[in-house]
Amino acid sequence: MGALEHVALLTNRVIDVSRRSLRRHFPVVRGAAFDDLLGKLDRIPDAGRVTRQR
């Protein structure tokens, strides 16, 4: 079985704090394609979220 791959959107602060544990990271330049990707991610149903009731 191969290594696990993860995709995440991280802030610069998170990258700075986690630099030692991150093997690779690729900066993304914000543009129309990036905005389209974020829009598609926002439309994914949130089936796994656990909500707390107060």
Side-chain angles (χ1 to χ4, degrees):
M1 207 178 279
L4 294 176
E5 298 289 332
H6 300 277
V7 175
L9 300 175
L10 306 172
T11 64
N12 285 334
R13 174 73 178 133
V14 171
I15 290 172
D16 288 342
V17 170
S18 306
R19 189 161 308 274
R20 288 184 181 169
S21 62
L22 291 175
R23 292 191 185 120
R24 299 183 287 180
H25 69 278
F26 304 96
V28 176
V29 178
R30 184 140 191 183
F34 183 70
D35 290 337
D36 183 50
L37 172 63
L38 290 179
K40 289 178 181 179
L41 291 173
D42 284 339
R43 289 188 294 274
I44 295 173
D46 197 4
R49 178 177 286 177
V50 177
T51 58
R52 295 183 191 179
Q53 299 202 4
R54 293 180 181 205

mmCIF file of all heavy atoms in Angstrom:
data_model
loop_
_atom_site.group_PDB
_atom_site.id
_atom_site.type_symbol
_atom_site.label_atom_id
_atom_site.label_comp_id
_atom_site.label_asym_id
_atom_site.label_seq_id
_atom_site.Cartn_x
_atom_site.Cartn_y
_atom_site.Cartn_z
ATOM 1 N N MET A 1 0.842 -1.170 0.000
ATOM 2 C CA MET A 1 0.000 0.000 0.000
ATOM 3 C C MET A 1 0.893 1.242 0.000
ATOM 4 O O MET A 1 1.923 1.277 0.651
ATOM 5 C CB MET A 1 -0.879 -0.020 1.257
ATOM 6 C CG MET A 1 -2.181 0.733 1.056
ATOM 7 S SD MET A 1 -3.278 0.679 2.484
ATOM 8 C CE MET A 1 -4.013 -0.917 2.240
ATOM 9 N N GLY A 2 0.486 2.268 -0.738
ATOM 10 C CA GLY A 2 1.288 3.477 -0.862
ATOM 11 C C GLY A 2 1.120 4.418 0.315
ATOM 12 O O GLY A 2 0.318 4.195 1.217
ATOM 13 N N ALA A 3 1.873 5.478 0.283
ATOM 14 C CA ALA A 3 1.807 6.497 1.330
ATOM 15 C C ALA A 3 0.510 7.290 1.206
ATOM 16 O O ALA A 3 -0.052 7.422 0.128
ATOM 17 C CB ALA A 3 3.000 7.439 1.212
ATOM 18 N N LEU A 4 0.036 7.791 2.315
ATOM 19 C CA LEU A 4 -1.165 8.613 2.313
ATOM 20 C C LEU A 4 -0.845 10.003 1.781
ATOM 21 O O LEU A 4 0.201 10.563 2.076
ATOM 22 C CB LEU A 4 -1.727 8.744 3.730
ATOM 23 C CG LEU A 4 -2.263 7.481 4.368
ATOM 24 C CD1 LEU A 4 -2.686 7.771 5.801
ATOM 25 C CD2 LEU A 4 -3.443 6.944 3.591
ATOM 26 N N GLU A 5 -1.744 10.528 0.993
ATOM 27 C CA GLU A 5 -1.616 11.888 0.475
ATOM 28 C C GLU A 5 -2.777 12.696 1.023
ATOM 29 O O GLU A 5 -3.897 12.209 1.109
ATOM 30 C CB GLU A 5 -1.660 11.910 -1.049
ATOM 31 C CG GLU A 5 -0.526 11.154 -1.710
ATOM 32 C CD GLU A 5 0.813 11.853 -1.554
ATOM 33 O OE1 GLU A 5 0.829 13.089 -1.428
ATOM 34 O OE2 GLU A 5 1.839 11.170 -1.579
ATOM 35 N N HIS A 6 -2.526 13.934 1.399
ATOM 36 C CA HIS A 6 -3.562 14.813 1.924
ATOM 37 C C HIS A 6 -3.508 16.139 1.186
ATOM 38 O O HIS A 6 -2.436 16.614 0.828
ATOM 39 C CB HIS A 6 -3.358 15.081 3.424
ATOM 40 C CG HIS A 6 -3.392 13.843 4.248
ATOM 41 N ND1 HIS A 6 -4.560 13.267 4.668
ATOM 42 C CD2 HIS A 6 -2.399 13.063 4.713
ATOM 43 C CE1 HIS A 6 -4.287 12.186 5.373
ATOM 44 N NE2 HIS A 6 -2.983 12.033 5.414
ATOM 45 N N VAL A 7 -4.665 16.718 0.997
ATOM 46 C CA VAL A 7 -4.762 18.048 0.417
ATOM 47 C C VAL A 7 -5.428 18.927 1.453
ATOM 48 O O VAL A 7 -6.456 18.571 2.015
ATOM 49 C CB VAL A 7 -5.596 18.041 -0.881
ATOM 50 C CG1 VAL A 7 -5.800 19.444 -1.398
ATOM 51 C CG2 VAL A 7 -4.931 17.153 -1.923
ATOM 52 N N ALA A 8 -4.827 20.066 1.736
ATOM 53 C CA ALA A 8 -5.381 20.979 2.734
ATOM 54 C C ALA A 8 -5.074 22.412 2.324
ATOM 55 O O ALA A 8 -4.070 22.682 1.663
ATOM 56 C CB ALA A 8 -4.788 20.700 4.109
ATOM 57 N N LEU A 9 -5.951 23.300 2.705
ATOM 58 C CA LEU A 9 -5.701 24.725 2.515
ATOM 59 C C LEU A 9 -5.218 25.267 3.853
ATOM 60 O O LEU A 9 -5.944 25.233 4.840
ATOM 61 C CB LEU A 9 -6.977 25.436 2.070
ATOM 62 C CG LEU A 9 -7.572 24.935 0.759
ATOM 63 C CD1 LEU A 9 -8.904 25.628 0.489
ATOM 64 C CD2 LEU A 9 -6.613 25.165 -0.391
ATOM 65 N N LEU A 10 -3.977 25.726 3.892
ATOM 66 C CA LEU A 10 -3.362 26.170 5.135
ATOM 67 C C LEU A 10 -2.992 27.644 5.054
ATOM 68 O O LEU A 10 -2.585 28.132 4.005
ATOM 69 C CB LEU A 10 -2.093 25.362 5.418
ATOM 70 C CG LEU A 10 -2.248 23.842 5.438
ATOM 71 C CD1 LEU A 10 -0.879 23.188 5.542
ATOM 72 C CD2 LEU A 10 -3.136 23.407 6.571
ATOM 73 N N THR A 11 -3.084 28.314 6.172
ATOM 74 C CA THR A 11 -2.629 29.702 6.232
ATOM 75 C C THR A 11 -1.103 29.724 6.346
ATOM 76 O O THR A 11 -0.471 28.720 6.705
ATOM 77 C CB THR A 11 -3.228 30.434 7.440
ATOM 78 O OG1 THR A 11 -2.745 29.815 8.632
ATOM 79 C CG2 THR A 11 -4.746 30.398 7.418
ATOM 80 N N ASN A 12 -0.506 30.850 6.047
ATOM 81 C CA ASN A 12 0.949 30.975 6.192
ATOM 82 C C ASN A 12 1.373 30.719 7.627
ATOM 83 O O ASN A 12 2.433 30.142 7.881
ATOM 84 C CB ASN A 12 1.410 32.365 5.748
ATOM 85 C CG ASN A 12 1.395 32.512 4.250
ATOM 86 O OD1 ASN A 12 1.506 31.542 3.513
ATOM 87 N ND2 ASN A 12 1.243 33.738 3.783
ATOM 88 N N ARG A 13 0.570 31.145 8.596
ATOM 89 C CA ARG A 13 0.897 30.939 10.014
ATOM 90 C C ARG A 13 0.954 29.445 10.353
ATOM 91 O O ARG A 13 1.875 28.993 11.022
ATOM 92 C CB ARG A 13 -0.153 31.651 10.887
ATOM 93 C CG ARG A 13 0.018 31.386 12.354
ATOM 94 C CD ARG A 13 1.216 32.136 12.914
ATOM 95 N NE ARG A 13 1.294 31.879 14.330
ATOM 96 C CZ ARG A 13 2.413 31.550 14.967
ATOM 97 N NH1 ARG A 13 3.549 31.514 14.313
ATOM 98 N NH2 ARG A 13 2.409 31.315 16.246
ATOM 99 N N VAL A 14 -0.015 28.686 9.858
ATOM 100 C CA VAL A 14 -0.029 27.237 10.117
ATOM 101 C C VAL A 14 1.198 26.589 9.475
ATOM 102 O O VAL A 14 1.837 25.721 10.085
ATOM 103 C CB VAL A 14 -1.331 26.593 9.591
ATOM 104 C CG1 VAL A 14 -1.256 25.082 9.645
ATOM 105 C CG2 VAL A 14 -2.530 27.096 10.384
ATOM 106 N N ILE A 15 1.546 27.013 8.290
ATOM 107 C CA ILE A 15 2.731 26.458 7.622
ATOM 108 C C ILE A 15 3.986 26.790 8.419
ATOM 109 O O ILE A 15 4.846 25.938 8.615
ATOM 110 C CB ILE A 15 2.832 26.970 6.176
ATOM 111 C CG1 ILE A 15 1.708 26.349 5.350
ATOM 112 C CG2 ILE A 15 4.191 26.644 5.573
ATOM 113 C CD1 ILE A 15 1.582 26.910 3.954
ATOM 114 N N ASP A 16 4.108 28.029 8.903
ATOM 115 C CA ASP A 16 5.279 28.411 9.697
ATOM 116 C C ASP A 16 5.401 27.565 10.958
ATOM 117 O O ASP A 16 6.491 27.118 11.314
ATOM 118 C CB ASP A 16 5.211 29.890 10.082
ATOM 119 C CG ASP A 16 5.456 30.810 8.891
ATOM 120 O OD1 ASP A 16 6.007 30.334 7.873
ATOM 121 O OD2 ASP A 16 5.077 31.988 8.983
ATOM 122 N N VAL A 17 4.291 27.334 11.646
ATOM 123 C CA VAL A 17 4.310 26.557 12.888
ATOM 124 C C VAL A 17 4.586 25.081 12.603
ATOM 125 O O VAL A 17 5.279 24.413 13.367
ATOM 126 C CB VAL A 17 2.968 26.726 13.646
ATOM 127 C CG1 VAL A 17 2.855 25.748 14.800
ATOM 128 C CG2 VAL A 17 2.814 28.150 14.141
ATOM 129 N N SER A 18 4.074 24.572 11.491
ATOM 130 C CA SER A 18 4.156 23.136 11.187
ATOM 131 C C SER A 18 5.287 22.774 10.238
ATOM 132 O O SER A 18 5.366 21.641 9.775
ATOM 133 C CB SER A 18 2.838 22.678 10.554
ATOM 134 O OG SER A 18 1.755 23.019 11.353
ATOM 135 N N ARG A 19 6.157 23.705 9.950
ATOM 136 C CA ARG A 19 7.163 23.498 8.906
ATOM 137 C C ARG A 19 7.968 22.201 9.070
ATOM 138 O O ARG A 19 8.248 21.507 8.107
ATOM 139 C CB ARG A 19 8.117 24.682 8.840
ATOM 140 C CG ARG A 19 9.030 24.611 7.635
ATOM 141 C CD ARG A 19 9.656 25.920 7.260
ATOM 142 N NE ARG A 19 8.768 27.039 7.080
ATOM 143 C CZ ARG A 19 8.124 27.334 5.954
ATOM 144 N NH1 ARG A 19 8.244 26.537 4.921
ATOM 145 N NH2 ARG A 19 7.369 28.397 5.869
ATOM 146 N N ARG A 20 8.317 21.849 10.270
ATOM 147 C CA ARG A 20 9.137 20.645 10.479
ATOM 148 C C ARG A 20 8.381 19.361 10.128
ATOM 149 O O ARG A 20 8.976 18.390 9.700
ATOM 150 C CB ARG A 20 9.617 20.567 11.921
ATOM 151 C CG ARG A 20 10.664 21.580 12.220
ATOM 152 C CD ARG A 20 11.199 21.419 13.613
ATOM 153 N NE ARG A 20 12.201 22.432 13.884
ATOM 154 C CZ ARG A 20 12.687 22.680 15.055
ATOM 155 N NH1 ARG A 20 12.271 21.996 16.101
ATOM 156 N NH2 ARG A 20 13.595 23.611 15.220
ATOM 157 N N SER A 21 7.063 19.349 10.337
ATOM 158 C CA SER A 21 6.296 18.134 10.067
ATOM 159 C C SER A 21 5.746 18.074 8.645
ATOM 160 O O SER A 21 5.314 17.018 8.199
ATOM 161 C CB SER A 21 5.147 17.986 11.067
ATOM 162 O OG SER A 21 4.253 19.062 10.950
ATOM 163 N N LEU A 22 5.772 19.186 7.919
ATOM 164 C CA LEU A 22 5.302 19.179 6.538
ATOM 165 C C LEU A 22 6.428 18.722 5.621
ATOM 166 O O LEU A 22 7.516 19.280 5.637
ATOM 167 C CB LEU A 22 4.854 20.581 6.114
ATOM 168 C CG LEU A 22 3.599 21.126 6.768
ATOM 169 C CD1 LEU A 22 3.381 22.574 6.331
ATOM 170 C CD2 LEU A 22 2.397 20.291 6.425
ATOM 171 N N ARG A 23 6.160 17.708 4.845
ATOM 172 C CA ARG A 23 7.183 17.238 3.916
ATOM 173 C C ARG A 23 7.235 18.115 2.675
ATOM 174 O O ARG A 23 8.294 18.421 2.158
ATOM 175 C CB ARG A 23 6.887 15.795 3.524
ATOM 176 C CG ARG A 23 7.076 14.858 4.685
ATOM 177 C CD ARG A 23 7.047 13.427 4.210
ATOM 178 N NE ARG A 23 7.124 12.556 5.381
ATOM 179 C CZ ARG A 23 6.220 11.681 5.705
ATOM 180 N NH1 ARG A 23 5.159 11.507 4.953
ATOM 181 N NH2 ARG A 23 6.355 10.939 6.780
ATOM 182 N N ARG A 24 6.044 18.482 2.161
ATOM 183 C CA ARG A 24 5.971 19.315 0.962
ATOM 184 C C ARG A 24 4.768 20.238 1.097
ATOM 185 O O ARG A 24 3.766 19.876 1.685
ATOM 186 C CB ARG A 24 5.744 18.484 -0.295
ATOM 187 C CG ARG A 24 6.807 17.493 -0.591
ATOM 188 C CD ARG A 24 6.500 16.802 -1.883
ATOM 189 N NE ARG A 24 5.387 15.863 -1.710
ATOM 190 C CZ ARG A 24 4.893 15.114 -2.668
ATOM 191 N NH1 ARG A 24 5.381 15.194 -3.871
ATOM 192 N NH2 ARG A 24 3.902 14.287 -2.445
ATOM 193 N N HIS A 25 4.887 21.403 0.548
ATOM 194 C CA HIS A 25 3.731 22.267 0.409
ATOM 195 C C HIS A 25 3.926 23.117 -0.841
ATOM 196 O O HIS A 25 5.045 23.399 -1.244
ATOM 197 C CB HIS A 25 3.487 23.129 1.651
ATOM 198 C CG HIS A 25 4.514 24.193 1.874
ATOM 199 N ND1 HIS A 25 5.717 23.940 2.489
ATOM 200 C CD2 HIS A 25 4.511 25.498 1.560
ATOM 201 C CE1 HIS A 25 6.413 25.052 2.544
ATOM 202 N NE2 HIS A 25 5.716 26.021 1.988
ATOM 203 N N PHE A 26 2.816 23.448 -1.465
ATOM 204 C CA PHE A 26 2.846 24.191 -2.714
ATOM 205 C C PHE A 26 1.962 25.420 -2.567
ATOM 206 O O PHE A 26 0.764 25.285 -2.310
ATOM 207 C CB PHE A 26 2.341 23.328 -3.876
ATOM 208 C CG PHE A 26 3.102 22.041 -4.028
ATOM 209 C CD1 PHE A 26 2.625 20.871 -3.469
ATOM 210 C CD2 PHE A 26 4.301 22.017 -4.713
ATOM 211 C CE1 PHE A 26 3.325 19.676 -3.600
ATOM 212 C CE2 PHE A 26 5.013 20.825 -4.845
ATOM 213 C CZ PHE A 26 4.532 19.656 -4.288
ATOM 214 N N PRO A 27 2.515 26.609 -2.707
ATOM 215 C CA PRO A 27 1.695 27.810 -2.617
ATOM 216 C C PRO A 27 0.732 27.892 -3.803
ATOM 217 O O PRO A 27 1.050 27.472 -4.905
ATOM 218 C CB PRO A 27 2.706 28.959 -2.634
ATOM 219 C CG PRO A 27 3.960 28.375 -3.163
ATOM 220 C CD PRO A 27 3.920 26.899 -2.934
ATOM 221 N N VAL A 28 -0.457 28.436 -3.544
ATOM 222 C CA VAL A 28 -1.462 28.609 -4.581
ATOM 223 C C VAL A 28 -1.667 30.106 -4.784
ATOM 224 O O VAL A 28 -1.914 30.837 -3.829
ATOM 225 C CB VAL A 28 -2.796 27.947 -4.176
ATOM 226 C CG1 VAL A 28 -3.868 28.209 -5.209
ATOM 227 C CG2 VAL A 28 -2.602 26.454 -3.959
ATOM 228 N N VAL A 29 -1.569 30.533 -6.019
ATOM 229 C CA VAL A 29 -1.816 31.933 -6.343
ATOM 230 C C VAL A 29 -3.319 32.098 -6.538
ATOM 231 O O VAL A 29 -3.939 31.346 -7.289
ATOM 232 C CB VAL A 29 -1.054 32.343 -7.623
ATOM 233 C CG1 VAL A 29 -1.360 33.776 -7.992
ATOM 234 C CG2 VAL A 29 0.440 32.137 -7.431
ATOM 235 N N ARG A 30 -3.890 33.054 -5.854
ATOM 236 C CA ARG A 30 -5.334 33.272 -5.944
ATOM 237 C C ARG A 30 -5.675 33.838 -7.312
ATOM 238 O O ARG A 30 -5.053 34.773 -7.780
ATOM 239 C CB ARG A 30 -5.777 34.230 -4.852
ATOM 240 C CG ARG A 30 -7.258 34.401 -4.843
ATOM 241 C CD ARG A 30 -7.782 34.455 -3.474
ATOM 242 N NE ARG A 30 -9.236 34.361 -3.553
ATOM 243 C CZ ARG A 30 -9.997 34.431 -2.518
ATOM 244 N NH1 ARG A 30 -9.483 34.590 -1.333
ATOM 245 N NH2 ARG A 30 -11.299 34.332 -2.643
ATOM 246 N N GLY A 31 -6.659 33.245 -7.928
ATOM 247 C CA GLY A 31 -7.126 33.684 -9.241
ATOM 248 C C GLY A 31 -8.479 33.061 -9.514
ATOM 249 O O GLY A 31 -9.091 32.456 -8.629
ATOM 250 N N ALA A 32 -8.945 33.172 -10.746
ATOM 251 C CA ALA A 32 -10.263 32.659 -11.107
ATOM 252 C C ALA A 32 -10.360 31.150 -10.885
ATOM 253 O O ALA A 32 -11.376 30.654 -10.383
ATOM 254 C CB ALA A 32 -10.581 33.007 -12.556
ATOM 255 N N ALA A 33 -9.315 30.401 -11.236
ATOM 256 C CA ALA A 33 -9.349 28.949 -11.065
ATOM 257 C C ALA A 33 -9.419 28.583 -9.579
ATOM 258 O O ALA A 33 -10.131 27.651 -9.196
ATOM 259 C CB ALA A 33 -8.129 28.312 -11.713
ATOM 260 N N PHE A 34 -8.694 29.311 -8.746
ATOM 261 C CA PHE A 34 -8.706 29.045 -7.301
ATOM 262 C C PHE A 34 -10.076 29.374 -6.714
ATOM 263 O O PHE A 34 -10.622 28.620 -5.918
ATOM 264 C CB PHE A 34 -7.616 29.854 -6.608
ATOM 265 C CG PHE A 34 -7.511 29.587 -5.137
ATOM 266 C CD1 PHE A 34 -7.031 28.385 -4.659
ATOM 267 C CD2 PHE A 34 -7.899 30.549 -4.220
ATOM 268 C CE1 PHE A 34 -6.930 28.142 -3.306
ATOM 269 C CE2 PHE A 34 -7.800 30.316 -2.856
ATOM 270 C CZ PHE A 34 -7.314 29.104 -2.400
ATOM 271 N N ASP A 35 -10.667 30.490 -7.128
ATOM 272 C CA ASP A 35 -11.998 30.867 -6.656
ATOM 273 C C ASP A 35 -13.039 29.829 -7.078
ATOM 274 O O ASP A 35 -13.945 29.497 -6.320
ATOM 275 C CB ASP A 35 -12.388 32.249 -7.163
ATOM 276 C CG ASP A 35 -11.574 33.351 -6.503
ATOM 277 O OD1 ASP A 35 -11.045 33.128 -5.394
ATOM 278 O OD2 ASP A 35 -11.461 34.435 -7.104
ATOM 279 N N ASP A 36 -12.899 29.291 -8.296
ATOM 280 C CA ASP A 36 -13.802 28.248 -8.775
ATOM 281 C C ASP A 36 -13.663 26.992 -7.917
ATOM 282 O O ASP A 36 -14.655 26.373 -7.539
ATOM 283 C CB ASP A 36 -13.506 27.931 -10.245
ATOM 284 C CG ASP A 36 -14.459 26.911 -10.826
ATOM 285 O OD1 ASP A 36 -15.687 27.091 -10.671
ATOM 286 O OD2 ASP A 36 -13.974 25.942 -11.447
ATOM 287 N N LEU A 37 -12.423 26.625 -7.587
ATOM 288 C CA LEU A 37 -12.185 25.460 -6.732
ATOM 289 C C LEU A 37 -12.819 25.652 -5.361
ATOM 290 O O LEU A 37 -13.499 24.751 -4.851
ATOM 291 C CB LEU A 37 -10.683 25.211 -6.578
ATOM 292 C CG LEU A 37 -10.279 24.141 -5.568
ATOM 293 C CD1 LEU A 37 -10.816 22.775 -5.971
ATOM 294 C CD2 LEU A 37 -8.776 24.105 -5.389
ATOM 295 N N LEU A 38 -12.635 26.818 -4.753
ATOM 296 C CA LEU A 38 -13.237 27.082 -3.443
ATOM 297 C C LEU A 38 -14.765 27.009 -3.511
ATOM 298 O O LEU A 38 -15.408 26.479 -2.607
ATOM 299 C CB LEU A 38 -12.793 28.438 -2.910
ATOM 300 C CG LEU A 38 -11.335 28.552 -2.486
ATOM 301 C CD1 LEU A 38 -11.046 29.968 -2.006
ATOM 302 C CD2 LEU A 38 -10.993 27.547 -1.416
ATOM 303 N N GLY A 39 -15.347 27.512 -4.585
ATOM 304 C CA GLY A 39 -16.794 27.442 -4.764
ATOM 305 C C GLY A 39 -17.286 26.005 -4.837
ATOM 306 O O GLY A 39 -18.300 25.649 -4.233
ATOM 307 N N LYS A 40 -16.544 25.163 -5.555
ATOM 308 C CA LYS A 40 -16.915 23.748 -5.654
ATOM 309 C C LYS A 40 -16.773 23.054 -4.303
ATOM 310 O O LYS A 40 -17.602 22.218 -3.936
ATOM 311 C CB LYS A 40 -16.066 23.053 -6.713
ATOM 312 C CG LYS A 40 -16.430 23.474 -8.117
ATOM 313 C CD LYS A 40 -15.538 22.819 -9.142
ATOM 314 C CE LYS A 40 -15.914 23.286 -10.546
ATOM 315 N NZ LYS A 40 -15.068 22.709 -11.572
ATOM 316 N N LEU A 41 -15.729 23.365 -3.567
ATOM 317 C CA LEU A 41 -15.549 22.767 -2.247
ATOM 318 C C LEU A 41 -16.669 23.190 -1.301
ATOM 319 O O LEU A 41 -17.135 22.388 -0.481
ATOM 320 C CB LEU A 41 -14.190 23.154 -1.665
ATOM 321 C CG LEU A 41 -12.968 22.555 -2.362
ATOM 322 C CD1 LEU A 41 -11.687 23.159 -1.792
ATOM 323 C CD2 LEU A 41 -12.944 21.048 -2.246
ATOM 324 N N ASP A 42 -17.130 24.426 -1.410
ATOM 325 C CA ASP A 42 -18.224 24.906 -0.567
ATOM 326 C C ASP A 42 -19.531 24.177 -0.851
ATOM 327 O O ASP A 42 -20.386 24.084 0.027
ATOM 328 C CB ASP A 42 -18.442 26.407 -0.759
ATOM 329 C CG ASP A 42 -17.389 27.244 -0.057
ATOM 330 O OD1 ASP A 42 -16.742 26.727 0.879
ATOM 331 O OD2 ASP A 42 -17.220 28.415 -0.440
ATOM 332 N N ARG A 43 -19.693 23.633 -2.049
ATOM 333 C CA ARG A 43 -20.936 22.946 -2.407
ATOM 334 C C ARG A 43 -20.932 21.467 -2.039
ATOM 335 O O ARG A 43 -21.941 20.800 -2.217
ATOM 336 C CB ARG A 43 -21.210 23.115 -3.898
ATOM 337 C CG ARG A 43 -21.608 24.550 -4.250
ATOM 338 C CD ARG A 43 -22.076 24.687 -5.681
ATOM 339 N NE ARG A 43 -21.045 24.438 -6.671
ATOM 340 C CZ ARG A 43 -20.189 25.348 -7.122
ATOM 341 N NH1 ARG A 43 -20.214 26.572 -6.663
ATOM 342 N NH2 ARG A 43 -19.298 25.043 -8.039
ATOM 343 N N ILE A 44 -19.836 20.940 -1.517
ATOM 344 C CA ILE A 44 -19.783 19.527 -1.114
ATOM 345 C C ILE A 44 -20.642 19.360 0.131
ATOM 346 O O ILE A 44 -20.485 20.095 1.099
ATOM 347 C CB ILE A 44 -18.337 19.086 -0.817
ATOM 348 C CG1 ILE A 44 -17.496 19.154 -2.085
ATOM 349 C CG2 ILE A 44 -18.305 17.680 -0.218
ATOM 350 C CD1 ILE A 44 -16.025 18.899 -1.854
ATOM 351 N N PRO A 45 -21.551 18.374 0.118
ATOM 352 C CA PRO A 45 -22.374 18.148 1.310
ATOM 353 C C PRO A 45 -21.504 17.800 2.522
ATOM 354 O O PRO A 45 -20.523 17.087 2.411
ATOM 355 C CB PRO A 45 -23.242 16.952 0.928
ATOM 356 C CG PRO A 45 -23.184 16.875 -0.556
ATOM 357 C CD PRO A 45 -21.863 17.467 -0.965
ATOM 358 N N ASP A 46 -21.887 18.307 3.663
ATOM 359 C CA ASP A 46 -21.119 18.115 4.899
ATOM 360 C C ASP A 46 -21.715 16.954 5.687
ATOM 361 O O ASP A 46 -22.324 17.155 6.735
ATOM 362 C CB ASP A 46 -21.124 19.404 5.710
ATOM 363 C CG ASP A 46 -20.040 19.431 6.753
ATOM 364 O OD1 ASP A 46 -19.234 18.484 6.813
ATOM 365 O OD2 ASP A 46 -19.991 20.393 7.504
ATOM 366 N N ALA A 47 -21.564 15.729 5.178
ATOM 367 C CA ALA A 47 -22.189 14.561 5.786
ATOM 368 C C ALA A 47 -21.485 14.109 7.064
ATOM 369 O O ALA A 47 -22.095 13.449 7.895
ATOM 370 C CB ALA A 47 -22.209 13.410 4.783
ATOM 371 N N GLY A 48 -20.214 14.445 7.229
ATOM 372 C CA GLY A 48 -19.460 13.924 8.365
ATOM 373 C C GLY A 48 -19.416 14.810 9.574
ATOM 374 O O GLY A 48 -18.872 14.439 10.603
ATOM 375 N N ARG A 49 -19.997 15.982 9.519
ATOM 376 C CA ARG A 49 -19.903 16.930 10.626
ATOM 377 C C ARG A 49 -20.805 16.491 11.773
ATOM 378 O O ARG A 49 -21.967 16.194 11.597
ATOM 379 C CB ARG A 49 -20.280 18.323 10.192
ATOM 380 C CG ARG A 49 -20.233 19.318 11.351
ATOM 381 C CD ARG A 49 -20.527 20.703 10.915
ATOM 382 N NE ARG A 49 -19.352 21.192 10.199
ATOM 383 C CZ ARG A 49 -19.289 22.366 9.636
ATOM 384 N NH1 ARG A 49 -20.311 23.173 9.652
ATOM 385 N NH2 ARG A 49 -18.191 22.759 9.031
ATOM 386 N N VAL A 50 -20.240 16.493 12.945
ATOM 387 C CA VAL A 50 -21.008 16.204 14.153
ATOM 388 C C VAL A 50 -21.387 17.533 14.793
ATOM 389 O O VAL A 50 -20.533 18.388 15.014
ATOM 390 C CB VAL A 50 -20.169 15.365 15.151
ATOM 391 C CG1 VAL A 50 -20.934 15.138 16.432
ATOM 392 C CG2 VAL A 50 -19.776 14.047 14.507
ATOM 393 N N THR A 51 -22.656 17.722 15.037
ATOM 394 C CA THR A 51 -23.094 18.973 15.657
ATOM 395 C C THR A 51 -23.367 18.751 17.125
ATOM 396 O O THR A 51 -23.893 17.702 17.521
ATOM 397 C CB THR A 51 -24.366 19.517 14.964
ATOM 398 O OG1 THR A 51 -25.384 18.525 15.036
ATOM 399 C CG2 THR A 51 -24.085 19.862 13.515
ATOM 400 N N ARG A 52 -22.988 19.712 17.936
ATOM 401 C CA ARG A 52 -23.229 19.645 19.375
ATOM 402 C C ARG A 52 -24.516 20.363 19.706
ATOM 403 O O ARG A 52 -24.774 21.422 19.172
ATOM 404 C CB ARG A 52 -22.081 20.295 20.143
ATOM 405 C CG ARG A 52 -20.786 19.590 19.986
ATOM 406 C CD ARG A 52 -19.751 20.269 20.834
ATOM 407 N NE ARG A 52 -18.439 19.766 20.514
ATOM 408 C CZ ARG A 52 -17.335 20.174 21.079
ATOM 409 N NH1 ARG A 52 -17.377 21.132 21.980
ATOM 410 N NH2 ARG A 52 -16.190 19.675 20.743
ATOM 411 N N GLN A 53 -25.261 19.790 20.589
ATOM 412 C CA GLN A 53 -26.470 20.451 21.036
ATOM 413 C C GLN A 53 -26.252 20.969 22.437
ATOM 414 O O GLN A 53 -25.701 20.278 23.278
ATOM 415 C CB GLN A 53 -27.645 19.495 20.987
ATOM 416 C CG GLN A 53 -27.894 19.021 19.580
ATOM 417 C CD GLN A 53 -29.314 18.540 19.417
ATOM 418 O OE1 GLN A 53 -30.105 18.632 20.323
ATOM 419 N NE2 GLN A 53 -29.598 18.027 18.243
ATOM 420 N N ARG A 54 -26.691 22.187 22.673
ATOM 421 C CA ARG A 54 -26.521 22.794 24.006
ATOM 422 C C ARG A 54 -27.802 22.744 24.763
ATOM 423 O O ARG A 54 -28.861 22.775 24.325
ATOM 424 C CB ARG A 54 -26.059 24.231 23.862
ATOM 425 C CG ARG A 54 -24.670 24.291 23.292
ATOM 426 C CD ARG A 54 -24.255 25.727 23.180
ATOM 427 N NE ARG A 54 -22.919 25.755 22.596
ATOM 428 C CZ ARG A 54 -22.082 26.716 22.776
ATOM 429 N NH1 ARG A 54 -22.388 27.736 23.515
ATOM 430 N NH2 ARG A 54 -20.912 26.690 22.229
#
